[in-house]
Amino acid sequence: MELRDYTRALRRHWIAIVVMTLLGVGVGFGWAWIQTPVYQADASGLIQVKATDGTVLSPGQGDSLAKTKVPTYLEMAQWRQVAEQVAQQLDLTTPPQSLIQMVTVTNPEGTAIVKVTAQGESPEAARNLAEAWVKGLIVVIDQTEGTGAVNSAPANIVLAESAALPTSPVFPDKRMAMLVGGILGLGGGIAFAMMRAISDRRIRATDDVEKRVGIPVVGALPDAPTLADGHRLYRNDGAVAPGKATKADFAIRESLRMLRTNLQFMDVDHPPRTIVVTSALPGEGKSTMASNLAGALSAAGQKVVLIDGDLRRPTIAATMGVTADIGLTDVLAGRVRLADVLHRVPELPNLVMLGAGTLPHNPSELLGSDRMHELLNDLAQHAIVIVDAPPLLSVTDAAVLTHRADGALIVASAGKTTYDLVDKAIDALEKIHGRVLGLVLNKVPMTGTGSDVYSYTYEYTTAGGDAKGAMPKRTEAAAEAAAAAAAVPSPVAPPAAPPVPDAPSTPVADAPAADTESHAPRTPRRARKKAEESSDDDQMTEDVAALFGDSVDVFPSDGDGRGH
């Protein structure tokens, strides 16, 4: 992972990081709340040395002698006898050893002062314990170095400063606890974000796809409200009501144009003419992508045929807003002519749609038939063919179609489809030697963490002329052209070709005797069937050419009078 990947992971999981940080702060505060508060008080005693035998000590001598007693008295302050004296003074039931642990005796450097720091569960307990400890130390010194009477020792301690009543506890420190909890929560949130980013197998960025699966991303369709609520077909002519142009409109239109351009320049010498649009699993948006890709190509002046090759769950007809009870399967079965089941899209005169037709019980065999191959070849001679195919990992239909086509586009839903599914889809196509044209990301977020790669921020002008976001101004000429295109009526189907006459049959009486040692000659019925199939193929070619206004030569001549 690169630095931008870590940054993207932090942005994507910023809510989790904030929540875990706040949770850490809350845990720290809760921990501090349930702790027993500890208060601390200090009391100080001054060591004084008395002169004996009538000796008079100067101030300097007395201070020096007092300092020599400091180490001894610091040690004596930790004695058990001092704790017992304190327990007796304060009428405590706490064991002496526990009292010793609650007291710390120190000596400020260079002084003859003994400082007692005591801790207690209340301010009064801490203050009383500190003062009682100094008094208990005085009693023990008199018992040890004197006769036991008060001030009988030659050197002793005088309570110089009594303990003050503490106003706040020294433990727990709520601010510190909350700070530590917040830091730990922040670290946990960042660790969570990094772990999710490393373990996340969902497709999100273009460069990641090209590195992991080795195929290019040729387009990305943003997740915009314009394509929601069943309105899956977007107009590519830029017709937007004045004042209603939005960034989503611009994003969708430009993404479709980018996809169209990438396909056109994918292979300049041999551009793909028959393109299968499929996905790894259902729900990726392949049908929406196929419909809008066909619309984008037709808006650029290309002649396009959109075929609903999903013979299990067809949706292209509903997307285009047409009724297609008969279609592809009926043409392949020879029940109807191709020209009778092709539908014009009113707003896109260069686009015709072929519905799925009657749903068969053997869709894979039907899509892999020679007749389907001939249909695709005939259509590709006059137009770009877009075939909406079923998901690759569900059934084999898409693989069969890709084998007959120039290549396949795999549609993946950003943030949903995993790399493992895309790998399996590519493997399914490679096994039948199919060509993968590229990957198309669908439902790419326009805002948020997923929009850092696919952002549309170019300034646009609305139809009213306000420069605000990302919508180019529609000129009057473009509006007139779109209106004229919408007004073009659907072409009338070409007249039916004259039926092919049946082959002449040989009278039964004059028929030669069959040779049992050799194959029987072709019967008139088989010859008639072959002639009918040839006639259907010729009729299909004529229908395709007439549909797009092209001249037809069923058997083109190579110059010497012979057909190809």
Side-chain angles (χ1 to χ4, degrees), residues 22-39:
L22 296 178
L23 181 62
V25 173
V27 170
F29 178 80
W31 176 85
W33 182 264
I34 64 176
Q35 299 300 313
T36 301
V38 177
Y39 294 86

PDB file of all heavy atoms in Angstrom, residues 22-39:
ATOM      1  N   LEU A  22     -13.987   8.724  20.663  1.00  0.00           N
ATOM      2  CA  LEU A  22     -14.962   9.137  21.678  1.00  0.00           C
ATOM      3  C   LEU A  22     -15.238   8.010  22.661  1.00  0.00           C
ATOM      4  O   LEU A  22     -15.430   8.258  23.866  1.00  0.00           O
ATOM      5  CB  LEU A  22     -16.257   9.574  21.002  1.00  0.00           C
ATOM      6  CG  LEU A  22     -16.159  10.813  20.106  1.00  0.00           C
ATOM      7  CD1 LEU A  22     -17.512  11.103  19.448  1.00  0.00           C
ATOM      8  CD2 LEU A  22     -15.688  12.023  20.914  1.00  0.00           C
ATOM      9  N   LEU A  23     -15.250   6.793  22.156  1.00  0.00           N
ATOM     10  CA  LEU A  23     -15.446   5.658  23.056  1.00  0.00           C
ATOM     11  C   LEU A  23     -14.300   5.540  24.042  1.00  0.00           C
ATOM     12  O   LEU A  23     -14.508   5.256  25.233  1.00  0.00           O
ATOM     13  CB  LEU A  23     -15.578   4.374  22.236  1.00  0.00           C
ATOM     14  CG  LEU A  23     -15.822   3.085  23.036  1.00  0.00           C
ATOM     15  CD1 LEU A  23     -17.142   3.173  23.786  1.00  0.00           C
ATOM     16  CD2 LEU A  23     -15.816   1.878  22.106  1.00  0.00           C
ATOM     17  N   GLY A  24     -13.065   5.769  23.558  1.00  0.00           N
ATOM     18  CA  GLY A  24     -11.918   5.736  24.464  1.00  0.00           C
ATOM     19  C   GLY A  24     -11.999   6.824  25.521  1.00  0.00           C
ATOM     20  O   GLY A  24     -11.686   6.589  26.701  1.00  0.00           O
ATOM     21  N   VAL A  25     -12.433   8.026  25.105  1.00  0.00           N
ATOM     22  CA  VAL A  25     -12.605   9.108  26.080  1.00  0.00           C
ATOM     23  C   VAL A  25     -13.672   8.737  27.101  1.00  0.00           C
ATOM     24  O   VAL A  25     -13.515   8.965  28.311  1.00  0.00           O
ATOM     25  CB  VAL A  25     -12.976  10.411  25.351  1.00  0.00           C
ATOM     26  CG1 VAL A  25     -13.334  11.505  26.351  1.00  0.00           C
ATOM     27  CG2 VAL A  25     -11.824  10.872  24.468  1.00  0.00           C
ATOM     28  N   GLY A  26     -14.772   8.142  26.626  1.00  0.00           N
ATOM     29  CA  GLY A  26     -15.827   7.734  27.545  1.00  0.00           C
ATOM     30  C   GLY A  26     -15.385   6.643  28.498  1.00  0.00           C
ATOM     31  O   GLY A  26     -15.734   6.665  29.689  1.00  0.00           O
ATOM     32  N   VAL A  27     -14.619   5.697  27.981  1.00  0.00           N
ATOM     33  CA  VAL A  27     -14.110   4.628  28.858  1.00  0.00           C
ATOM     34  C   VAL A  27     -13.166   5.199  29.912  1.00  0.00           C
ATOM     35  O   VAL A  27     -13.209   4.809  31.085  1.00  0.00           O
ATOM     36  CB  VAL A  27     -13.415   3.544  28.014  1.00  0.00           C
ATOM     37  CG1 VAL A  27     -12.675   2.555  28.899  1.00  0.00           C
ATOM     38  CG2 VAL A  27     -14.442   2.812  27.150  1.00  0.00           C
ATOM     39  N   GLY A  28     -12.313   6.137  29.501  1.00  0.00           N
ATOM     40  CA  GLY A  28     -11.415   6.763  30.477  1.00  0.00           C
ATOM     41  C   GLY A  28     -12.177   7.519  31.547  1.00  0.00           C
ATOM     42  O   GLY A  28     -11.847   7.432  32.744  1.00  0.00           O
ATOM     43  N   PHE A  29     -13.206   8.234  31.144  1.00  0.00           N
ATOM     44  CA  PHE A  29     -14.004   8.956  32.129  1.00  0.00           C
ATOM     45  C   PHE A  29     -14.750   7.992  33.050  1.00  0.00           C
ATOM     46  O   PHE A  29     -14.832   8.210  34.271  1.00  0.00           O
ATOM     47  CB  PHE A  29     -15.002   9.870  31.413  1.00  0.00           C
ATOM     48  CG  PHE A  29     -15.899  10.628  32.340  1.00  0.00           C
ATOM     49  CD1 PHE A  29     -15.449  11.773  32.970  1.00  0.00           C
ATOM     50  CD2 PHE A  29     -17.199  10.192  32.589  1.00  0.00           C
ATOM     51  CE1 PHE A  29     -16.266  12.477  33.844  1.00  0.00           C
ATOM     52  CE2 PHE A  29     -18.027  10.883  33.448  1.00  0.00           C
ATOM     53  CZ  PHE A  29     -17.562  12.028  34.080  1.00  0.00           C
ATOM     54  N   GLY A  30     -15.298   6.927  32.468  1.00  0.00           N
ATOM     55  CA  GLY A  30     -16.000   5.947  33.302  1.00  0.00           C
ATOM     56  C   GLY A  30     -15.075   5.256  34.283  1.00  0.00           C
ATOM     57  O   GLY A  30     -15.464   5.008  35.437  1.00  0.00           O
ATOM     58  N   TRP A  31     -13.874   4.930  33.827  1.00  0.00           N
ATOM     59  CA  TRP A  31     -12.919   4.296  34.742  1.00  0.00           C
ATOM     60  C   TRP A  31     -12.576   5.228  35.904  1.00  0.00           C
ATOM     61  O   TRP A  31     -12.494   4.797  37.054  1.00  0.00           O
ATOM     62  CB  TRP A  31     -11.666   3.925  33.970  1.00  0.00           C
ATOM     63  CG  TRP A  31     -10.568   3.361  34.840  1.00  0.00           C
ATOM     64  CD1 TRP A  31     -10.420   2.070  35.241  1.00  0.00           C
ATOM     65  CD2 TRP A  31      -9.494   4.096  35.408  1.00  0.00           C
ATOM     66  NE1 TRP A  31      -9.308   1.946  36.037  1.00  0.00           N
ATOM     67  CE2 TRP A  31      -8.711   3.178  36.157  1.00  0.00           C
ATOM     68  CE3 TRP A  31      -9.096   5.428  35.363  1.00  0.00           C
ATOM     69  CZ2 TRP A  31      -7.571   3.566  36.851  1.00  0.00           C
ATOM     70  CZ3 TRP A  31      -7.977   5.808  36.052  1.00  0.00           C
ATOM     71  CH2 TRP A  31      -7.212   4.887  36.781  1.00  0.00           C
ATOM     72  N   ALA A  32     -12.357   6.502  35.577  1.00  0.00           N
ATOM     73  CA  ALA A  32     -12.038   7.457  36.638  1.00  0.00           C
ATOM     74  C   ALA A  32     -13.220   7.662  37.588  1.00  0.00           C
ATOM     75  O   ALA A  32     -13.034   7.900  38.792  1.00  0.00           O
ATOM     76  CB  ALA A  32     -11.619   8.796  36.030  1.00  0.00           C
ATOM     77  N   TRP A  33     -14.423   7.540  37.063  1.00  0.00           N
ATOM     78  CA  TRP A  33     -15.605   7.776  37.875  1.00  0.00           C
ATOM     79  C   TRP A  33     -15.802   6.687  38.926  1.00  0.00           C
ATOM     80  O   TRP A  33     -16.279   6.956  40.040  1.00  0.00           O
ATOM     81  CB  TRP A  33     -16.828   7.870  36.974  1.00  0.00           C
ATOM     82  CG  TRP A  33     -18.102   8.156  37.699  1.00  0.00           C
ATOM     83  CD1 TRP A  33     -19.031   7.259  38.125  1.00  0.00           C
ATOM     84  CD2 TRP A  33     -18.579   9.435  38.103  1.00  0.00           C
ATOM     85  NE1 TRP A  33     -20.061   7.879  38.760  1.00  0.00           N
ATOM     86  CE2 TRP A  33     -19.816   9.224  38.748  1.00  0.00           C
ATOM     87  CE3 TRP A  33     -18.088  10.736  37.960  1.00  0.00           C
ATOM     88  CZ2 TRP A  33     -20.563  10.282  39.267  1.00  0.00           C
ATOM     89  CZ3 TRP A  33     -18.837  11.776  38.470  1.00  0.00           C
ATOM     90  CH2 TRP A  33     -20.053  11.553  39.117  1.00  0.00           C
ATOM     91  N   ILE A  34     -15.462   5.431  38.580  1.00  0.00           N
ATOM     92  CA  ILE A  34     -15.705   4.326  39.511  1.00  0.00           C
ATOM     93  C   ILE A  34     -14.548   4.108  40.480  1.00  0.00           C
ATOM     94  O   ILE A  34     -14.665   3.279  41.388  1.00  0.00           O
ATOM     95  CB  ILE A  34     -15.967   3.028  38.730  1.00  0.00           C
ATOM     96  CG1 ILE A  34     -14.719   2.615  37.918  1.00  0.00           C
ATOM     97  CG2 ILE A  34     -17.171   3.177  37.818  1.00  0.00           C
ATOM     98  CD1 ILE A  34     -14.857   1.281  37.194  1.00  0.00           C
ATOM     99  N   GLN A  35     -13.463   4.825  40.318  1.00  0.00           N
ATOM    100  CA  GLN A  35     -12.336   4.671  41.226  1.00  0.00           C
ATOM    101  C   GLN A  35     -12.593   5.390  42.544  1.00  0.00           C
ATOM    102  O   GLN A  35     -13.284   6.414  42.589  1.00  0.00           O
ATOM    103  CB  GLN A  35     -11.047   5.200  40.584  1.00  0.00           C
ATOM    104  CG  GLN A  35     -10.636   4.493  39.315  1.00  0.00           C
ATOM    105  CD  GLN A  35     -10.380   3.010  39.530  1.00  0.00           C
ATOM    106  OE1 GLN A  35      -9.682   2.614  40.475  1.00  0.00           O
ATOM    107  NE2 GLN A  35     -10.952   2.189  38.670  1.00  0.00           N
ATOM    108  N   THR A  36     -12.019   4.828  43.622  1.00  0.00           N
ATOM    109  CA  THR A  36     -12.114   5.483  44.932  1.00  0.00           C
ATOM    110  C   THR A  36     -11.148   6.655  44.964  1.00  0.00           C
ATOM    111  O   THR A  36      -9.950   6.479  44.726  1.00  0.00           O
ATOM    112  CB  THR A  36     -11.765   4.490  46.047  1.00  0.00           C
ATOM    113  OG1 THR A  36     -12.658   3.371  45.983  1.00  0.00           O
ATOM    114  CG2 THR A  36     -11.881   5.161  47.413  1.00  0.00           C
ATOM    115  N   PRO A  37     -11.639   7.864  45.248  1.00  0.00           N
ATOM    116  CA  PRO A  37     -10.740   9.027  45.232  1.00  0.00           C
ATOM    117  C   PRO A  37      -9.709   8.952  46.358  1.00  0.00           C
ATOM    118  O   PRO A  37      -9.970   8.436  47.449  1.00  0.00           O
ATOM    119  CB  PRO A  37     -11.691  10.216  45.412  1.00  0.00           C
ATOM    120  CG  PRO A  37     -12.886   9.645  46.077  1.00  0.00           C
ATOM    121  CD  PRO A  37     -13.020   8.240  45.587  1.00  0.00           C
ATOM    122  N   VAL A  38      -8.532   9.449  46.062  1.00  0.00           N
ATOM    123  CA  VAL A  38      -7.433   9.478  47.014  1.00  0.00           C
ATOM    124  C   VAL A  38      -7.004  10.930  47.198  1.00  0.00           C
ATOM    125  O   VAL A  38      -6.673  11.606  46.213  1.00  0.00           O
ATOM    126  CB  VAL A  38      -6.244   8.616  46.552  1.00  0.00           C
ATOM    127  CG1 VAL A  38      -5.081   8.737  47.531  1.00  0.00           C
ATOM    128  CG2 VAL A  38      -6.668   7.155  46.403  1.00  0.00           C
ATOM    129  N   TYR A  39      -7.018  11.394  48.459  1.00  0.00           N
ATOM    130  CA  TYR A  39      -6.603  12.758  48.778  1.00  0.00           C
ATOM    131  C   TYR A  39      -5.231  12.711  49.431  1.00  0.00           C
ATOM    132  O   TYR A  39      -4.853  11.717  50.071  1.00  0.00           O
ATOM    133  CB  TYR A  39      -7.613  13.422  49.710  1.00  0.00           C
ATOM    134  CG  TYR A  39      -8.965  13.643  49.063  1.00  0.00           C
ATOM    135  CD1 TYR A  39      -9.933  12.642  49.068  1.00  0.00           C
ATOM    136  CD2 TYR A  39      -9.252  14.843  48.438  1.00  0.00           C
ATOM    137  CE1 TYR A  39     -11.154  12.844  48.476  1.00  0.00           C
ATOM    138  CE2 TYR A  39     -10.487  15.047  47.838  1.00  0.00           C
ATOM    139  CZ  TYR A  39     -11.436  14.038  47.859  1.00  0.00           C
ATOM    140  OH  TYR A  39     -12.654  14.243  47.273  1.00  0.00           O
TER     141      TYR A  39
END
